[in-house]
Amino acid sequence: MERQEIIDGLVEILKTVRTIDQEKLQNLTEETDFIADLKTPSTEMINIAAKAEQKFDVEFEDDDIDDLGSTVKDIVDLIIRTKERA
């Protein structure tokens, strides 16, 4: 799975999160920070991770979620690592 495919999938997920400014999703890059740039509440990050698990058919370890950074790159890397482990 290509990184851009994952980013596109994340954008689809983020479009369903009403606390995120939809305008900011148009310029989403791997450097975009969920908390600083998109003003995503930290509690919403858990829901985003759960939706990513469903969308990409992966299951994150609890430690992975605990150690997850707040950039798009962090979650893209996690999805790729999790798929490789499967």
Side-chain angles (χ1 to χ4, degrees):
M1 179 168 272
E2 297 293 321
R3 297 182 78 81
Q4 190 57 50
E5 283 180 81
I6 296 171
I7 292 170
D8 293 344
L10 288 172
V11 169
E12 286 178 33
I13 291 168
L14 296 173
K15 284 180 179 176
T16 68
V17 180
R18 67 178 189 277
T19 55
I20 292 178
D21 181 352
Q22 300 297 304
E23 293 287 316
K24 294 184 178 177
L25 296 180
Q26 295 172 1
N27 302 318
L28 193 86
T29 68
E30 289 198 30
E31 285 72 45
T32 301
D33 189 290
F34 286 103
I35 296 169
D37 300 325
L38 299 178
K39 309 287 188 252
T40 309
S42 54
T43 52
E44 192 65 55
M45 291 296 293
I46 295 165
N47 294 332
I48 292 168
K51 289 177 181 181
E53 284 181 317
Q54 290 176 335
K55 176 138 192 92
F56 299 106
D57 194 30
V58 292
E59 189 171 331
F60 302 137
E61 301 289 330
D62 289 342
D63 288 345
D64 292 335
I65 298 293
D66 293 342
D67 298 337
L68 185 62
S70 61
T71 65
V72 170
K73 180 184 185 315
D74 294 327
I75 197 160
V76 170
D77 289 344
L78 175 59
I79 291 166
I80 291 170
R81 271 197 321 272
T82 304
K83 280 213 169 278
E84 287 172 351
R85 278 197 307 241

